[in-house]
Amino acid sequence: MRVLVIGSGAREHALALALSRDPGVTAVLAAPGNPGIANVAELFPVDAASADNVVALATAQKVDLVVIGPEVPLVLGVADAVRAAGIPCFGPSAAAARIEGSKAFAKDVMAAAGVRTAHSEVVDTPATLDEALDRFGPTWVVKDDGLAAGKGVVVTTDRAAARDHAAEILENGHPVLLESFLDGPEVSLFCLVDGETVVPLLPAQDHKRVGEDDTGPNTGGMGAYTPLPWLPEGSVERIVSEVVEPVAAEMVRRGCGFSGLLYAGLAMGAEGPAVVEFNCRFGDPETQAVLALLESPLGEALKAVAAGTLAELPPLRWKDGAAVTVVLAAEYYPSTPRTGDVITGAEGDTVLHAGTKRREDGALVSAGGRVLSVIGVGADLASAREAAYDRLADVKLPGGHFRRDIGLAAVEGRISV
């Protein structure tokens, strides 16, 4: 199989790396890719969000499978265009990608499927904002009802801060989604979905806030770990049966069956799993940790979804132990990051590139907010953490910052359902 990966972040680096290790994959191509992905794939400077350009590249390169990483091309219908050209594609249709692209659509699907989620209300005019805010609290959850790269959410006990964020979203021309606050630790569960067939991957936990002890503003994710030692036995099966399968069936019923990776972000409270959000693609940075433990050939699994034969795929095999990924971010992130700083010590397969580029003189420099994802694998979570932070100590980025507590609460037994 010749496989084309669409995207340029650390998630795509993790996908390309895992695909390069699949004996059934003869070539990995990436568009546009990044300097790290260039070590395992041939790069093409193509706009990931352009259906015409992606189809032209996939056709010219005679690829057997296109794997779309980011949400924007999926919401814009790039997967539809690839399939219309007769090329197998891993990634949902634009109609199915609304599960992420429109939180209001996702709420409607969950209501019809009987899936537990937060009570919510959409506000589309400033005139009704204050009245709506009064119906929520004492913790307000304010979301942009569109794609916001993981940063459109504010969770706060400060009504004024909630109002300011909502007003800014409305000013930008987007509706606001207000939600009730869900209790319990968060779980990210990725599932391969082919119509009504659901195959879960390992559960992971993301760390969204920029600061240690979950302080500061939300980010796209500062690190993740898998598996979750505190998650009660049978929880994954329960999430699949109570959340993912009913949603997948409801989408089939609506004529927009899901084909690809459905990401359920959940709060595991006393009453069981409740959905915080759905994403229509692999999550970043959880993918970097989850794929580090995958033993089964990734290309075979993704091709089975694209071909509609997921039900025939052998059970996935996983390495024992744990994996941790820690994000190294540029100075000032998640505000406007400083870029152009030289990076050293980022060689090897345990450092995945996100916001990097090559300068004309060949130097590797920062080119985004989240610059690198550093991975550690170990016999248990404590040793995986140690491996990740030991490797990160060798990486140098002026002004770079990272959280030192990824997975620490789980190691110390401070998380429970």
Side-chain angles (χ1 to χ4, degrees):
M1 260 199 307
R2 291 170 57 79
V3 184
L4 170 61
V5 176
I6 301 299
S8 61
R11 163 186 49 215
E12 287 76 34
H13 192 171
L15 289 164
L17 186 61
L19 287 164
S20 73
R21 292 169 172 162
D22 181 341
V25 173
T26 51
V28 182
L29 301 79
N34 65 41
I37 296 173
N39 295 323
V40 292
E42 186 179 356
L43 303 191
F44 296 85
V46 163
D47 178 6
S50 166
D52 290 346
N53 291 356
V54 170
V55 168
L57 175 63
T59 304
Q61 290 296 321
K62 298 183 169 57
V63 302
D64 303 292
L65 177 66
V66 175
V67 177
I68 300 177
E71 61 273 23
V72 171
L74 294 168
V75 169
L76 292 176
V78 173
D80 302 82
V82 171
R83 278 191 280 269
I87 302 165
C89 184
F90 181 86
S93 65
R98 287 179 296 166
I99 198 80
E100 177 172 2
S102 166
K103 293 176 181 66
F105 172 79
K107 290 288 184 188
D108 193 49
V109 168
M110 284 185 274
V115 169
R116 287 186 68 239
T117 186
H119 162 66
S120 66
E121 196 172 318
V122 176
V123 179
D124 55 11
T125 168
T128 59
L129 178 58
D130 284 302
E131 195 182 320
L133 284 168
D134 290 342
R135 291 191 281 273
F136 291 83
T139 300
W140 284 267
V141 181
V142 184
K143 297 184 177 183
D144 187 326
D145 187 46
L147 295 179
K151 289 177 284 190
V153 182
V154 162
V155 180
T156 180
T157 54
D158 181 343
R159 188 187 186 282
R163 192 190 189 287
D164 288 348
H165 185 59
E168 185 185 348
I169 292 169
L170 289 168
E171 206 171 288
N172 290 334
H174 294 195
V176 170
L177 189 76
L178 299 178
E179 287 188 342
S180 57
F181 180 70
L182 294 170
D183 73 312
E186 290 202 8
V187 175
S188 300
L189 185 65
F190 298 169
C191 293
L192 299 175
V193 176
D194 165 17
E196 295 192 36
T197 303
V198 175
V199 175
L201 308 189
L202 292 180
Q205 188 177 59
D206 184 12
H207 295 61
K208 281 285 188 194
R209 303 273 189 165
V210 72
E212 281 159 37
D213 297 321
D214 296 323
T215 55
N218 265 348
T219 70
M222 293 300 291
Y225 65 97
T226 185
L228 310 179
W230 48 266
L231 194 64
E233 202 172 328
S235 293
V236 168
E237 293 78 7
R238 186 174 177 188
I239 293 166
V240 169
S241 65
E242 293 184 14
V243 174
V244 186
E245 287 177 343
V247 163
E250 173 62 19
M251 293 182 75
V252 168
R253 192 187 69 75
R254 291 175 179 229
C256 56
F258 196 94
S259 170
L261 194 289
L262 187 58
Y263 164 137
L266 309 128
M268 291 299 289
E271 296 174 32
V275 176
V276 175
E277 64 175 353
F278 279 111
N279 291 334
C280 64
R281 38 71 193 182
F282 279 100
D284 184 340
E286 299 99 321
T287 300
Q288 292 87 294
V290 170
L291 291 186
L293 295 181
L294 180 67
E295 271 194 342
S296 297
L298 180 64
E300 179 186 36
L302 303 187
K303 183 68 181 285
V305 175
T309 58
L310 181 60
E312 299 161 27
L313 185 74
L316 295 177
R317 301 187 313 281
W318 300 94
K319 296 172 189 165
D320 292 333
V324 171
T325 184
V326 181
V327 170
L328 178 62
E331 189 167 14
Y332 308 127
Y333 176 82
S335 295
T336 305
R338 194 175 82 188
T339 58
D341 288 307
V342 174
I343 304 160
T344 58
E347 301 76 25
D349 288 348
T350 56
V351 179
L352 303 183
H353 292 226
T356 67
K357 69 176 184 182
R358 288 273 175 212
R359 220 164 49 187
E360 282 184 13
D361 62 2
L364 184 70
V365 298
S366 58
R370 294 187 295 170
V371 180
L372 300 168
S373 285
V374 178
I375 298 170
V377 175
D380 56 24
L381 192 50
S383 56
R385 265 179 48 80
E386 191 177 346
Y389 285 107
D390 282 353
R391 181 64 188 88
L392 186 52
D394 296 331
V395 181
K396 300 291 180 274
L397 169 65
H401 61 96
F402 59 91
R403 282 182 57 167
R404 290 172 170 79
D405 64 345
I406 305 301
L408 183 60
V411 169
E412 294 180 346
R414 291 187 278 122
I415 306 181
S416 61
V417 175

